[in-house]
Amino acid sequence: MNNNNPTSHQTRFGLLPSDWSCLSLGDLVHDVSYGSSSKSAKVGNVPVLRMGNMQDGFLDWNDLVYTSDAVEISKYELKKNTVLFNRTNTVDLVGKAAIYRGERPAIYAGYLIKINNKPELLNSEYLNYVLNTNQIKSYNKLILSVAVSQANINGQKLKTYPIPVPPHIDEQTAIASALSDVDTLLTELEKLIAKKQAIKTASMQQLLTGKTRLPQFATYTEGADEGKRKGTKSSELGKIPEDWDVEKIGSVVSITTGSRNTQDKLSSGKYPFFVRSQTIERIDTYSFDGEAVLTAGDGVGTGKIFHYINGKFDYHQRVYLMHNFGDRIDGYYFYIYFSNFFYDRIMSMTAKSSVDSVRREMIADMLITLPSKEEQVATATILSDMDNEIQTLEQRLTKTRQIKQGMMQQLLTGRTRLPLKKHETEQDGGS
C-alpha cells in the first residue's frame, strides 16, 4: 500500500486524490430499475428479495418469500454481482445497499432498486462498498423525503449520489478485492462463532439434564459397583441420573429484592447498579458484596435477562437477588441452569400468557437438578470455558469489523493507494 498523497481536491464525497474524479451515479450506470410488485408467498419456486433481506453490503437469506409467476421471474431475475438499493422504509433503513452474488436464483421486490452499472466505468463490488460508507449514509439523510413515518429515496435522487472514481477501473477492482478478503474473514468468523454457540447450547442441554455425564462422574469409583456406569431415575423433571437430587430453588438459595427507598441515579459511580433490564452506574454506595445472580422482576427483559456477579453492587427493588450459595450448590452452576431454564418454566406457570411480572414464589418454587457440588463446578467450568472462547472470537469479530471500516475510509477516499501491476497502468498511457 502507498500512503503518499501529495495533492488532493475537495469533492461532494469529500477530499479525494487529484487524479480521482467524483461523478454522479447516473453518469456511471445504464439505468436504475424498480422491482416486482406482484404478490409473493411463503412457498414458491424463486425467492423474492425484500427490504428485510438487505443488510449493510450483503443479503440475508433468512425469512424469504417466493413467487412462481413465470412472467415476473423473467422480468426481474437478478444477474450475478448486481447491486440493490432499499428505497423506502424508516429513516434508518432507507439507503441500505447490498450486492447479489448469485447465491441462488432470485428476483427483487418493488421497494428495492436495481443498479445497472456500466462495468467498463464502475465495478459493482466497488460500488457496493462505496454505498455503505459513512459519507453515503450521511448523503442518504440529506436527500431523503419523509412523509409521516415513511422515508423515500427515488431512482432520480439515487442517480445524484456522489461516487469517487479512481483513474483506472483496475484500481476499483483492487480496492473491492482487498475489502472482499476482509469480508471473507468476517464470514468465516461468524460461521465459527455460530458453530461454537451451537456446540455450547447442545452441551448445556446434555450436561444440565444429565443426559451426558463428564467421565469422572459417569461411573462409580468405589464399593461393589466400582467401574459400573451410573443409572437413571424418575423425577419431577423427568429422567435424571440416579445420584442427582431435585430441589426447589427457594430451599437452596436466598431470594431478596432491593430496598423500596432505593433511588435511580444515572450519575457515574463506583459500583454497578442493576435496575430491571439494564446495568447503569450508581453514585451511592453498594448494598451487597458477594456472589449473586440477578434477574428483572418486571419491565423489559422480564424472565430473560440475567446477571452473574461476584463483588460489590447495588440493585433496584424490582430486581430479584439470589445469593447465599451453600454446600449444596455452586453459584455459577446455578446461574447457567437458571438462565437457561427459568423463562420457559415461568411461562408454564403463567398458563402461557405474557410475563408482565415475576413473583418471588415463582422463583422459589422452581425446581432445579442438583448433581454433587463437585460435578456442578466441573460442569460450570467447561461451559464457562466455552463461553470465554466464544467471547474471544466475538471480540476478534468486532475488531475485524472495525479494521474493515478503517480500510473502507482509507481505500475509498484514496488516502491509501493500492499498487497496480505495471502493465495495467501502461495500458492507460503509463500514468
Side-chain angles (χ1 to χ4, degrees):
M1 292 187 181
N2 185 350
N3 292 293
N4 296 325
N5 188 12
T7 57
S8 58
H9 63 126
Q10 189 65 42
T11 71
R12 289 194 301 139
F13 190 82
L15 205 62
L16 296 176
S18 58
D19 60 338
W20 283 34
S21 304
C22 181
L23 302 177
S24 294
L25 180 62
D27 296 327
L28 301 165
V29 301
H30 293 295
D31 57 48
V32 297
S33 53
Y34 295 87
S36 171
S37 57
S38 67
K39 292 184 178 180
S40 51
K42 284 293 182 181
V43 293
N45 296 334
V46 175
V48 182
L49 296 172
R50 302 171 295 168
M51 62 181 76
N53 302 114
M54 301 283 287
Q55 300 301 320
D56 292 327
F58 67 95
L59 293 168
D60 182 350
W61 291 88
N62 295 305
D63 191 26
L64 293 171
V65 295
Y66 300 83
T67 184
S68 297
D69 188 325
V71 175
E72 293 294 300
I73 293 171
S74 175
K75 185 176 180 180
Y76 296 104
E77 186 172 11
L78 290 166
K79 293 182 179 180
K80 185 177 180 180
N81 292 334
T82 297
V83 177
L84 296 171
F85 181 89
N86 184 34
R87 66 182 178 89
T88 186
N89 203 294
T90 63
V91 171
D92 292 332
L93 293 178
V94 169
K96 279 198 170 186
I99 189 167
Y100 168 73
R101 300 186 184 278
E103 295 92 331
R104 55 191 294 191
I107 70 171
Y108 62 111
Y111 286 148
L112 302 184
I113 297 177
K114 180 179 70 171
I115 300 174
N116 303 305
N117 61 292
K118 296 176 180 178
E120 70 278 11
L121 298 179
L122 185 60
N123 178 286
S124 57
E125 289 194 75
Y126 173 84
L127 172 63
N128 180 48
Y129 288 116
V130 169
L131 292 179
N132 282 283
T133 58
N134 293 330
Q135 291 92 323
I136 292 298
K137 289 177 181 178
S138 297
Y139 190 75
N140 288 337
K141 295 178 181 179
L142 182 66
I143 68 166
L144 60 78
S145 302
V146 180
V148 191
S149 60
Q150 194 81 353
N152 182 274
I153 296 174
N154 60 32
Q156 290 305 309
K157 287 184 176 179
L158 178 57
K159 289 182 179 180
T160 69
Y161 274 50
I163 306 297
V165 183
H168 311 291
I169 189 71
D170 302 295
E171 189 166 2
Q172 295 183 35
T173 303
I175 291 170
S177 179
L179 294 173
S180 179
D181 288 344
V182 182
D183 276 338
T184 298
L185 176 58
L186 288 170
T187 299
E188 292 305 313
L189 281 171
E190 288 165 351
K191 288 180 180 178
L192 181 58
I193 290 170
K195 181 180 178 180
K196 296 289 186 181
Q197 287 280 15
I199 292 172
K200 177 193 167 188
T201 299
S203 298
M204 282 194 296
Q205 289 298 317
Q206 293 292 310
L207 292 171
L208 296 178
T209 59
K211 292 177 182 177
T212 296
R213 303 288 297 273
L214 298 174
Q216 63 269 40
F217 303 105
T219 59
Y220 289 100
T221 57
E222 58 185 22
D225 292 330
E226 184 177 354
K228 179 182 175 183
R229 190 169 188 81
K230 295 175 182 176
T232 61
K233 65 182 179 183
S234 297
S235 76
E236 300 95 319
L237 294 176
K239 289 281 187 182
I240 63 170
E242 61 184 353
D243 57 335
W244 286 21
D245 295 323
V246 172
E247 295 285 356
K248 289 184 177 180
I249 283 178
S251 69
V252 292
V253 303
S254 299
I255 307 169
T256 57
T257 57
S259 166
R260 292 186 179 275
N261 296 322
T262 299
Q263 298 295 315
D264 296 358
K265 295 185 179 181
L266 303 180
S267 304
S268 177
K270 190 173 182 180
Y271 306 113
F273 174 42
F274 295 96
V275 49
R276 290 181 169 88
S277 59
Q278 312 173 29
T279 303
I280 58 177
E281 295 297 313
R282 180 176 169 78
I283 198 169
D284 292 358
T285 57
Y286 57 89
S287 62
F288 191 87
D289 184 0
E291 186 181 27
V293 175
L294 303 100
T295 190
D298 61 15
V300 178
T302 301
K304 288 186 176 180
I305 295 179
F306 311 91
H307 298 283
Y308 171 85
I309 190 168
N310 194 350
K312 300 174 182 179
F313 62 92
D314 199 1
Y315 58 106
H316 188 272
Q317 62 171 315
R318 291 302 295 150
V319 170
Y320 285 103
L321 173 79
M322 286 145 284
H323 62 106
N324 197 21
F325 306 109
D327 295 336
R328 296 195 65 196
I329 191 163
D330 174 72
Y332 200 75
Y333 171 86
F334 174 75
Y335 163 70
I336 294 171
Y337 189 98
F338 187 71
S339 59
N340 277 278
F341 293 111
F342 178 67
Y343 182 72
D344 288 340
R345 302 276 181 84
I346 287 297
M347 289 301 288
S348 67
M349 290 179 191
T350 55
K352 300 190 185 304
S353 63
S354 60
V355 182
D356 296 319
S357 63
V358 175
R359 300 188 304 276
R360 183 188 179 282
E361 57 267 28
M362 287 181 175
I363 301 174
D365 290 342
M366 176 180 158
L367 299 174
I368 184 171
T369 55
L370 288 181
S372 67
K373 192 167 183 181
E374 188 180 32
E375 186 171 359
Q376 293 176 38
V377 171
T379 298
T381 299
I382 287 175
L383 295 175
S384 177
D385 289 345
M386 289 182 176
D387 202 42
N388 290 337
E389 183 182 12
I390 291 169
Q391 288 180 16
T392 299
L393 288 171
E394 287 174 338
Q395 290 169 0
R396 183 181 171 193
L397 180 65
T398 299
K399 184 175 181 180
T400 305
R401 284 175 175 155
Q402 293 170 345
I403 290 171
K404 178 191 169 184
Q405 286 300 314
M407 286 179 63
M408 287 176 64
Q409 288 303 308
Q410 289 293 315
L411 295 174
L412 296 172
T413 58
R415 294 175 196 165
T416 298
R417 306 289 290 270
L418 296 174
L420 299 180
K421 294 179 182 179
K422 187 175 181 181
H423 75 275
E424 291 173 343
T425 55
E426 286 176 347
Q427 289 173 356
D428 288 298
S431 57

